[in-house]
Amino acid sequence: MPFPTPVPTIAARDPAPAPQRGFDRRSFLKAAGFTFAGTVLAGCEKGAVEKAIPFLVKPEEVTPGTATWYASTCGGCSAGCGILIKNRDGRPIKIEGNPAHPLSKGGLCATGQAMVLSLYDSRRLREPRISGQTAAWDAVDRTIAAKLAETRDGAKGVRILTGSGAGATTLAAIRSFSAAFPDTRHVVYEPLSIAALADAHEQCYGRRIVPHYRFDRASVIVSFDADFLGTWISPVEFTSDYRAGRSPEGPSRAMSHHVQIESRMSLTGSNADARIVVRPDSMVGLLGGLAYYVAKETGAGPAVFASPAAPSPRTASGSPDAEDAMNLLPLLARRLAAAGRKGLVVCGVNGIACQALAASINDMLGNAGVTVELERPTSSRTDNDRETQDLLAELDAGTIGMLVVHGVNPVYDHPRGGVFSAAMKKAGLTVVFAQHEDETAEHADIILPKGHPLEEWDDAEPVAGVVSVRQPAIAPFGNSRSLAECLLAWTGERTGAREAIRRAWKSAVFPRQNAEADFETFWNASVHEGYAVVDPVPSGHHSFDASVVPQLPAGDRKNPGAGADSSSGEGFMIEMYPTVALLDGRHAHNPWLQELPDPVTKVVWDNYASVSPRTGKRLAVEEGDVIRIETGVHILELPAVIQPGQHDDVISVALGYGRKGTDRFTSVGPEWFEAVPTVEPGETVGRNMAPMREIRGNYVSSYRGGVSVTRTGRVRTIASTQIHHSLHVPEHLAPKNAERRPIVQETSLAAYTESPGAGRFETHKVVSMWPDEHRFTKHRWFMSIDLTACTGCSACVVGCQAENNIPVVGKDEVYRNRELTWLRIDRYYTEEEDGVSVAHQPMLCQHCEHAPCETVCPVLATVHSEEGLNQQVYNRCVGTRYCSNNCPYKVRRFNWFDYSRGDDMGRLVLNPDVVVRERGIMEKCSFCVQRIQEGKIRAKQEGRTVKDGEISPACEQSCPAQAIVFGDLNDPASRISASRKHPRFYRVLEEIGVEPSVGYLTLVRNLPEGDGRNG
């Protein structure tokens, strides 16, 4: 599918026109008869005149005001989810999941949706640079050709360092380049490495693969520090599959039981049925113990698994540790053995012993081909820590003639980044592809602009047999070339990216399918759909090699905290983890993601040190107190956040912060009020934690021991979007044992099976003072949210922000509780003797039938529509904020200032179907009324009624778990009508009689008898 020629953004602009007091009829009709090329800037800049530029010859694929959709592949990470790109008048404005894609199934994470904003980053590199000076591609090619000839004559090597996820085209180009320059090696580097997982399977099965895990087929899931709903491997796919296996509906009530073993409260752990909180260095011993008990239960394991030794005593802090966890292993083993092929053990620890033990447990369960697919492995993750270490040694030895770095930033995110930067200077020539002049690019001889995923051709194979196409939805803003184009050009072959992909697919992909007889038909269908399903490359059957297990050190199999994967030492342990927003830091330049609240802590615009409540008391540390973290080599100071569910001996800090260039978000602050001391001018957003990580046994480890923690006596402001964390009434307002407020209603699977109405609080009919009920004769729009399905991933938050032109406000404004997001996800803790459980609840305007906001507005700016929508008329609003004061859900946002939406280029992301609000008015969720109107108009044009599911708000469309249902309550056959009648259905604060149009389904937890709530 060809991409449209971009419409000129602004044809001309008068510098300082006189203000106009009116807009006469003639001017209006003239404007209405043409397509506004500069519509995106309407309302953003006052005093500028936008010229109406008509199409002289209209492109066939562009209809003014009508969206064009392109199927493509996400580039936010290496998972390769299928996406649909919404293009308006030549510019992408929204990214959504592709419902037809077999892996992501229509869902999309927050980073994938925010990718559209990074397209319009005016600070992206546009032109090649040689020694810091802008250069043409011809000059670049000549320089590199000369260096390659010199490298070949000098018998030096060429190394190509890339991230994971390279497709058939890039791999074919690397092979072609290697044929021309034999001493060439491709090294795959990922800061969030899972290299030990692939290496363990190479030892156990004889081939280096990352299995494809099927959570939808699992009845029992045991996860050892794998945040598979947040950041591990493919979270969108895993969330969709996890949701499919955890539905309490149907006669079988087939809801999987999920146990999470971790040291911090992760997003995945917050959704688990049971959590076991341990130190990270206990993982290998617990895996060895679980392997022993599973072997004992199944009789299928080798006799080499020794009986677990007596665990270490309880820690000095009194925190539950290996002793409690070890006592639960027999129960876990029995449950896994009973599940058999439907049992699944996953491990996120990047250590060879842990991963080999996890693989051995899965093999004993016999789940190959069911919950663990070995013949269709995850092809997107081929990172190799050993080869990265070898590359660093070669660079330091001076044996590399040319180094090509594409899309990765090891100087910033590798534990030995400083060594890497020094070693780069010993290479004959260093070429770096980057979107910004980052920490690695500033040490390069040649910097080449890396194209954005929305403006370049590429391909991927996220899982063996599922091949995806990435096509551009707009012409490149800069003068960029893909890695494949460059490698082919440096071997003397001038081939465009699209032709290179077609050639690679014709030779390597097309023969693996039987659906189409000719390549052109297959290619056109693949581009149109965004993907194709083909036969995986056969690799032969390999059985598990049990002889590998005795090679593991004895301590690794017996004692918690012992062995090669451990370096605890004395004192605290520090664990460094990626966030769902920034990952390893690749999205640090995206302000949507910087202001996205962390799903667990709800903190924005910073990283911080998470400590448990007991440790906080022991250190006399409160929220915001700056603590000093020392490892003997590194010293770092960070503000503290008190985190329930955290191990007492572990300090957790997020990776991905402290990126070069993020000082642009902190150096310029608002001038209209006295700034809160949240950050020093010119500082980067957060601190870089990568240097604190260790390399153990050739693997990058994200935790280390022997850490000392002390108070500094200083305080640093923390900006959080939630300050209430419990549903229990505060003690000063009610007795200590007061009943929980019925905001989140929950029950167990056993109770729900016995009584479908279990968990619901008693309600009573409320006498209304309204004269009569609203009557909706046409449509009655309604929304239902399943709390059992919602994982709190926050994809809906960014989806709403992108669709409705919601600006970021910055850390200072969030600190003042002035965030503007229309949708928030409230996270509540329930602390009990045996642990902490978590509930996530999306909260948005409830569109109440008896809306308390409507009764107090003095100018009728908020009114009820004939279709059940609580409307906000911006032109009427005078900013009294009475409606916000009277809203019991606190979901209305006041626009305190004319918040910046970026420069001229940044404003291209704005949706022209949604007005850009000005200062001094109230704004809130509209149920994406623009989508409702579009759906109704389309149905009217086609002479039919609106179909159920045809209209989908941005939050519903983006949800990977399909937790949100929206529709017409007047349609008795609709999904929303069925949800409204469900026994689990309830409405928040329905006892006050406001009749909200948003309901929830009770949260159901799978808590088998004897497990407790959260161990």
Side-chain angles (χ1 to χ4, degrees):
M1 181 184 296
F3 60 89
T5 304
V7 180
T9 305
I10 302 175
R13 178 180 294 165
D14 296 335
Q20 299 181 355
R21 294 189 176 275
F23 196 66
D24 59 24
R25 181 175 179 273
R26 180 179 178 83
S27 299
F28 171 77
L29 293 176
K30 285 172 63 179
F34 296 95
T35 299
F36 267 102
T39 301
V40 67
L41 296 181
C44 298
E45 291 189 14
K46 298 181 180 179
V49 174
E50 309 299 338
K51 298 294 184 66
I53 309 297
F55 281 123
L56 297 179
V57 179
K58 188 182 80 68
E60 180 182 355
E61 55 278 328
V62 175
T63 300
T66 301
T68 305
W69 292 86
Y70 297 90
S72 190
T73 303
C74 184
C77 68
S78 62
C81 298
I83 61 174
L84 298 177
I85 306 169
K86 183 179 183 179
N87 194 301
R88 278 291 298 269
D89 300 330
R91 58 189 176 87
I93 61 170
K94 184 72 169 63
I95 303 177
E96 299 183 348
N98 185 350
H101 198 275
L103 301 180
S104 51
K105 302 178 182 67
L108 195 61
C109 66
T111 57
Q113 294 183 84
M115 195 170 57
V116 69
L117 181 63
S118 63
L119 171 67
Y120 301 112
D121 185 352
S122 60
R123 298 199 183 187
R124 283 200 296 136
L125 292 173
R126 303 287 188 87
E127 301 289 338
R129 297 181 188 177
I130 300 178
S131 300
Q133 302 297 317
T134 301
W137 275 104
D138 287 343
V140 171
D141 293 340
R142 288 195 300 270
T143 302
I144 291 177
K147 178 55 66 174
L148 285 172
E150 178 184 328
T151 297
R152 183 159 44 188
D153 294 341
K156 290 192 174 184
V158 178
R159 298 294 179 264
I160 302 172
L161 183 67
T162 72
S164 291
T169 305
T170 300
L171 296 177
I174 292 175
R175 287 193 297 269
S176 177
F177 183 87
S178 300
F181 302 94
D183 191 7
T184 298
R185 193 165 77 239
H186 178 209
V187 179
V188 181
Y189 165 71
E190 275 288 340
L192 308 179
S193 174
I194 59 169
L197 175 57
D199 287 349
H201 280 77
E202 184 176 30
Q203 287 190 21
C204 296
Y205 290 96
R207 49 182 175 152
R208 195 174 190 275
I209 60 168
V210 173
H212 183 213
Y213 297 107
R214 297 297 302 268
F215 290 90
D216 56 328
R217 300 173 180 174
S219 61
V220 176
I221 302 168
V222 179
S223 170
F224 287 83
D225 205 28
D227 189 12
F228 57 84
L229 298 179
T231 58
W232 192 65
I233 302 183
S234 185
V236 172
E237 176 195 356
F238 292 162
T239 298
S240 177
D241 288 353
Y242 183 77
R243 163 73 172 96
R246 287 180 63 81
S247 175
E249 312 304 333
S252 62
R253 303 280 197 248
M255 188 175 181
S256 64
H257 178 62
H258 170 205
V259 179
Q260 185 78 8
I261 302 174
E262 59 185 6
S263 58
R264 66 178 180 92
M265 180 68 78
S266 67
L267 178 62
T268 304
S270 70
N271 286 277
D273 297 308
R275 288 180 69 243
I276 301 175
V277 183
V278 299
R279 288 168 57 106
D281 55 356
S282 297
M283 293 293 178
V284 67
L286 293 174
L287 274 161
L290 183 60
Y292 167 79
Y293 288 116
V294 170
K296 187 176 180 181
E297 290 289 334
T298 62
V304 296
F305 292 114
S307 175
S312 304
R314 186 178 292 265
T315 57
S317 63
S319 172
D321 207 302
E323 180 179 359
D324 301 304
M326 194 64 74
N327 293 334
L328 292 173
L329 293 183
L331 175 64
L332 283 180
R334 286 196 299 272
R335 186 160 292 129
L336 283 169
R341 303 191 71 191
K342 291 188 175 183
L344 176 61
V345 175
V346 292
C347 179
V349 179
N350 196 31
I352 190 72
C354 284
Q355 294 295 348
L357 287 167
S360 68
I361 296 172
N362 285 324
D363 178 73
M364 287 185 285
L365 296 175
N367 57 18
V370 182
T371 57
V372 178
E373 291 186 338
L374 300 173
E375 299 304 321
R376 301 180 70 95
T378 300
S379 305
S380 61
R381 294 304 299 267
T382 56
D383 38 297
N384 195 314
D385 286 353
R386 295 177 185 271
E387 291 186 355
T388 303
Q389 297 306 312
D390 292 343
L391 169 63
L392 190 55
E394 289 180 314
L395 287 171
D396 192 54
T399 60
I400 303 301
M402 188 171 91
L403 172 67
V404 179
V405 181
H406 182 268
V408 292
N409 189 5
V411 173
Y412 162 78
D413 50 36
H414 193 272
R416 301 179 64 191
V419 177
F420 206 103
S421 63
M424 284 174 60
K425 300 175 182 178
K426 299 180 181 181
L429 182 71
T430 302
V431 181
V432 174
F433 291 76
Q435 290 194 1
H436 299 85
E437 190 174 352
D438 56 31
E439 291 82 353
T440 301
E442 69 178 348
H443 293 91
D445 301 308
I446 298 177
I447 306 175
L448 303 179
K450 181 181 180 296
H452 191 275
L454 299 185
E455 61 182 15
E456 66 177 0
W457 284 96
D458 205 347
D459 61 355
E461 189 170 359
V463 172
V466 179
V467 287
S468 303
V469 180
R470 180 178 298 151
Q471 64 169 320
I474 192 172
F477 285 104
N479 188 13
S480 61
R481 287 194 325 206
S482 68
L483 176 62
E485 285 180 278
C486 289
L487 293 177
L488 293 174
W490 298 338
T491 58
E493 182 181 349
R494 298 286 180 175
T495 303
R498 181 174 179 272
E499 284 306 310
I501 293 176
R502 283 173 52 87
R503 185 172 63 185
W505 277 50
K506 191 171 186 177
S507 62
V509 178
F510 178 65
R512 295 160 55 190
Q513 59 85 41
N514 299 313
E516 303 294 345
D518 64 286
F519 175 72
E520 286 300 326
T521 304
F522 170 71
W523 168 256
N524 290 334
S526 299
V527 174
H528 181 270
E529 298 297 325
Y531 72 96
V533 178
V534 298
D535 296 330
V537 176
S539 57
H541 178 72
H542 296 266
S543 58
F544 184 82
D545 184 2
S547 64
V548 172
V549 180
Q551 299 174 14
L552 301 177
D556 280 6
R557 301 196 307 276
K558 292 182 179 179
N559 298 322
D565 285 341
S566 167
S567 67
S568 59
E570 298 296 328
F572 289 92
M573 295 196 72
I574 184 169
E575 181 181 13
M576 291 145 284
Y577 64 94
T579 66
V580 298
L582 303 190
L583 299 180
D584 51 35
R586 66 187 72 185
H587 300 295
H589 292 275
N590 193 312
W592 283 358
L593 296 175
Q594 288 280 9
E595 195 158 296
L596 178 68
D598 183 272
V600 175
T601 65
K602 301 302 174 183
V603 176
V604 301
W605 287 105
D606 213 345
N607 60 345
Y608 40 83
S610 295
V611 300
S612 71
R614 187 183 285 110
T615 299
K617 291 180 180 179
R618 182 156 56 100
L619 298 176
V621 169
E622 297 181 353
E623 194 108 335
D625 286 347
V626 177
I627 60 176
R628 180 178 292 109
I629 303 172
E630 300 183 57
T631 65
V633 179
H634 303 95
I635 299 176
L636 202 64
E637 295 182 352
L638 288 167
V641 167
I642 306 302
Q643 177 57 59
Q646 178 96 1
H647 193 282
D648 292 341
D649 293 345
V650 178
I651 310 295
S652 298
V653 185
L655 296 165
Y657 289 85
R659 279 290 299 265
K660 177 186 177 183
T662 57
D663 55 333
R664 61 171 159 155
F665 300 127
T666 62
S667 58
V668 179
E671 300 175 354
W672 47 80
F673 58 82
E674 182 181 355
V676 174
T678 55
V679 63
E680 295 295 329
E683 282 189 5
T684 59
V685 178
R687 302 289 184 269
N688 183 15
M689 296 299 299
M692 276 200 170
R693 296 202 289 174
E694 286 186 309
I695 298 176
R696 293 201 299 272
N698 286 322
Y699 298 106
V700 176
S701 174
S702 291
Y703 63 86
R704 68 185 302 162
V707 176
S708 65
V709 179
T710 55
R711 288 186 60 202
T712 64
R714 293 183 290 108
V715 176
R716 183 183 176 96
T717 303
I718 296 290
S720 176
T721 60
Q722 183 174 346
I723 57 176
H724 55 285
H725 305 297
S726 173
L727 290 174
H728 287 277
V729 180
E731 293 184 14
H732 67 281
L733 298 178
K736 186 172 183 180
N737 296 322
E739 190 173 333
R740 254 177 45 134
R741 288 176 288 187
I743 306 300
V744 174
Q745 301 183 13
E746 60 181 272
T747 187
S748 67
L749 179 61
Y752 174 66
T753 302
E754 183 177 344
S755 172
R760 291 196 55 194
F761 284 70
E762 292 185 7
T763 59
H764 58 277
K765 184 173 179 59
V766 179
V767 178
S768 174
M769 297 181 65
W770 289 79
D772 49 32
E773 299 293 328
H774 289 286
R775 291 182 174 85
F776 307 103
T777 58
K778 296 180 180 179
H779 301 286
R780 172 70 171 97
W781 303 112
F782 206 90
M783 179 179 287
S784 174
I785 302 174
D786 189 347
L787 297 183
T788 304
C790 177
T791 64
C793 70
S794 301
C796 55
V797 177
V798 177
C800 175
Q801 186 166 19
E803 174 71 21
N804 294 293
N805 299 336
I806 300 173
V808 296
V809 300
K811 182 177 180 179
D812 291 332
E813 289 290 271
V814 174
Y815 174 74
R816 290 176 166 82
N817 299 320
R818 293 174 176 174
E819 67 271 14
L820 281 178
T821 50
W822 290 0
L823 168 65
R824 70 175 189 262
I825 300 181
D826 292 335
R827 180 265 305 118
Y828 298 107
Y829 299 122
T830 300
E831 297 191 49
E832 300 186 358
E833 292 183 1
D834 52 359
V836 179
S837 63
V838 183
H840 301 277
Q841 183 178 55
M843 183 57 63
L844 63 159
C845 175
Q846 304 287 292
H847 293 269
C848 308
E849 283 189 41
H850 300 162
C853 56
E854 297 174 12
T855 58
V856 296
C857 181
V859 293
L860 291 179
T862 175
V863 294
H864 220 69
S865 79
E866 63 179 0
E867 297 181 356
L869 299 183
N870 175 245
Q871 298 175 321
Q872 184 70 29
V873 185
Y874 298 131
N875 288 342
R876 293 181 189 170
C877 183
V878 295
T880 63
R881 289 178 286 149
Y882 295 163
C883 58
S884 179
N885 292 336
N886 217 36
C887 175
Y889 303 97
K890 299 307 173 188
V891 288
R892 305 176 72 86
R893 305 297 193 189
F894 185 68
N895 212 326
W896 287 87
F897 303 101
D898 285 326
Y899 294 104
S900 172
R901 288 173 170 83
D903 49 24
D904 286 352
M905 188 172 177
R907 296 187 189 107
L908 290 173
V909 78
L910 297 179
N911 183 359
D913 294 329
V914 179
V915 68
V916 177
R917 284 79 61 188
E918 297 182 350
R919 173 185 182 182
I921 62 173
M922 192 65 65
E923 54 184 88
K924 65 169 193 68
C925 164
S926 66
F927 271 171
C928 288
V929 65
Q930 68 277 5
R931 294 192 175 201
I932 294 175
Q933 293 301 109
E934 182 184 9
K936 289 163 55 180
I937 291 170
R938 182 169 55 249
K940 184 177 180 180
Q941 290 173 338
E942 298 175 3
R944 57 175 177 81
T945 59
V946 176
K947 300 176 183 178
D948 182 40
E950 180 180 7
I951 297 174
S952 181
C955 55
E956 179 192 28
Q957 197 285 326
S958 63
C959 180
Q962 299 179 9
I964 303 175
V965 174
F966 178 82
D968 184 3
L969 206 59
N970 284 351
D971 179 4
S974 64
R975 296 173 303 148
I976 191 63
S977 294
S979 182
R980 177 68 179 84
K981 299 173 183 176
H982 198 283
R984 288 197 288 139
F985 181 87
Y986 76 97
R987 292 187 288 190
V988 173
L989 299 181
E990 60 184 336
E991 64 271 17
I992 64 177
V994 296
E995 295 291 328
S997 296
V998 176
Y1000 298 85
L1001 299 186
T1002 300
L1003 172 60
V1004 179
R1005 302 182 189 272
N1006 191 355
L1007 304 173
E1009 186 177 352
D1011 270 19
R1013 172 180 290 275
N1014 206 9

